[in-house]
Amino acid sequence: MEKQPPSTADAIADRVMRGAASAVETVREALEAVDRTGHLRAFVEVWPEAALECAARVDATLAAGVPLPLAGVPLAVKATEGTGSHQARRLVAAGAVPIGATSVPGPGTPWKTWGSTDQGPTLNPWNTERVPGGSSAGSAVAVATGAVPLATASDGAGSTRIPAAWCGVIGYKPTTGLLPARDRAGLTVGGPITRTVADAELYRSAVLGGSPVAVRPHIRVAWSPTLGFNEPEPEVVELAERALRRWARSGGVTVTRSEIALTDPTRTWHTRRERGTRAGLAAVGRRDLSALDGLLRSVDLLATPTTPNRAHPHSGPGEVMSVGFTWLFNLTGHPALSLPAGITEDGLPVGLHLVARHHEDALLLASARDAEQALARALGDGVHAPEM
């Protein structure tokens, strides 16, 4: 029998709303999927009784004639976010059902691209000898395996986008300020990890408000393989650029190479985090801000690889800074998204990173949806589905 792709949040909610399946049945299936994929250690806690009780309430609400846009959608929540975060509360109010808490890094390493559980580290479903990325490690694995279609994450330096890239799924960081900050420095913002861009748009509708928009008839994209300070792996760059060019060939997209040369934000990011102050955009440096703002006035999107490197072994990344392309935009606050771009020769996913102007989240997601569809036609859907 041909392997069926895992259900999306959109498809699940539609089935439950139409009465083709119940929320209780759907959540029970998700709990079984969590058990089947337990060897990857995506979850630190699973809540079967509470999840089934919540699902029963969803079914009762629907029976009373109250529509729920995320009816019965199984939801994984990042352990450090929990069910009490603003985004989780909004998702549950829309009908999503929390089924468990996902892993985050523990102490002991300077890198935060792994997940800690009582059973051992969280494993990348594409290659268990590699990390899944972090800090939203378990959330990315839970979505990539098909256990859930939607998971909450948070991103202070790339913690949503990096694990999404390394697990072959979608990671969206909204414009800073649209959600309550998760740290005193104002760097960390909540967001979803999903299997499709349409599900990220469902998240946006439920949590941030606003409906999906049609993609513009012509999208201008600036491609930068380094931002002026990264030294990425050639194969990672090649795959990300190839995905971007394939999207462009689908029509309505113009890609130009940008020679923008920004300053490595390492010192600025650490200073802002350590001081715990929201120094604002000026902390990035006037020259860099001027260059970035000028670029984004001339184009609709900036595209880069999501990370300079592929998923590294559990022993560590070496000298490479996996946050090299992502954490600048935690300082500047721009919305950004990681889209699956392809698979390396050794079988590891990499991401294409798209960045939009402040508060152009709808355009970012619409463009990513268009790119996703173009890549699906060119590549098929395998990038979303590791063999389990």
Side-chain angles (χ1 to χ4, degrees), residues 2-380:
E2 183 178 347
K3 181 180 178 181
Q4 296 298 312
S7 292
T8 65
D10 190 23
I12 289 171
D14 177 67
R15 286 199 301 269
V16 175
M17 285 279 287
R18 289 188 291 105
S22 71
V24 168
E25 292 169 342
T26 302
V27 167
R28 189 173 286 119
E29 290 173 359
L31 291 169
E32 291 171 355
V34 170
D35 186 61
R36 286 196 304 272
T37 58
H39 60 289
L40 298 174
R41 308 173 193 139
F43 288 85
V44 293
E45 294 180 7
V46 182
W47 310 314
E49 292 184 7
L52 291 170
E53 289 173 2
C54 181
R57 292 194 296 271
V58 169
D59 286 331
T61 299
L62 294 175
V66 179
L68 294 169
L70 288 173
V73 173
L75 173 70
V77 296
K78 185 176 180 177
T80 50
E81 283 272 310
T83 56
S85 69
H86 176 81
Q87 60 178 341
R89 292 198 307 270
R90 295 291 296 167
L91 293 167
V92 171
V97 179
I99 66 168
T102 56
S103 66
V104 296
T109 69
W111 62 88
K112 302 299 180 183
T113 48
W114 60 291
S116 175
T117 77
D118 290 342
Q119 303 302 313
T122 304
L123 307 178
N124 189 310
W126 293 85
N127 183 333
T128 57
E129 295 182 358
R130 303 291 177 126
V131 298
S135 63
S136 306
S139 287
V141 174
V143 172
T145 59
V148 296
L150 172 63
T152 63
S154 58
D155 191 314
S159 290
T160 298
R161 292 162 286 163
I162 292 169
W166 288 356
C167 290
V169 288
I170 309 292
Y172 162 49
K173 183 197 84 67
T175 297
T176 300
L178 294 181
L179 284 166
R182 303 295 294 164
D183 63 336
R184 290 186 304 132
L187 291 167
T188 304
V189 59
I193 292 178
T194 65
R195 203 171 298 113
T196 67
V197 177
D199 283 355
E201 291 178 307
L202 271 180
Y203 167 97
R204 176 175 173 266
S205 178
V207 175
L208 304 175
S211 301
V213 300
V215 69
R216 290 181 182 174
H218 183 72
I219 296 292
R220 301 162 301 165
V221 184
W223 163 251
S224 174
T226 69
L227 291 179
F229 56 84
N230 286 289
E231 296 182 2
E233 295 177 11
E235 188 180 9
V236 170
V237 173
E238 179 184 356
L239 285 168
E241 184 173 10
R242 185 185 302 167
L244 179 61
R245 302 288 179 183
R246 280 178 168 143
W247 176 32
R249 286 198 296 272
S250 71
V253 181
T254 299
V255 176
T256 58
R257 185 182 177 100
S258 171
E259 301 302 328
I260 192 167
L262 304 176
T263 305
D264 186 336
T266 300
R267 180 178 296 180
T268 301
W269 190 94
H270 282 292
T271 298
R272 182 162 161 180
R273 172 58 64 86
E274 290 163 6
R275 292 179 179 174
T277 59
R278 303 186 189 191
L281 299 183
V284 180
R286 291 181 180 177
R287 184 189 67 82
D288 286 343
L289 276 178
S290 177
L292 187 57
D293 287 345
L295 177 62
L296 287 173
R297 280 194 298 269
S298 66
V299 297
D300 300 297
L301 300 170
L302 168 63
T304 72
T306 304
T307 60
N309 52 336
R310 71 197 73 198
H312 59 75
H314 295 278
S315 57
E319 299 300 317
V320 179
M321 295 293 287
S322 303
V323 295
F325 286 106
T326 52
W327 61 351
L328 172 65
F329 303 103
N330 295 89
L331 286 165
T332 67
H334 291 87
L337 179 144
S338 180
L339 186 73
I343 308 295
T344 63
E345 288 291 335
D346 54 349
L348 296 169
V350 299
L352 173 65
H353 191 222
L354 301 176
V355 181
R357 290 182 289 269
H358 293 111
H359 300 286
E360 292 270 11
D361 296 60
L363 169 66
L364 172 67
L365 288 165
S367 301
R369 178 178 8 105
D370 190 61
E372 176 186 54
Q373 292 168 355
L375 292 175
R377 290 192 296 269
L379 303 173

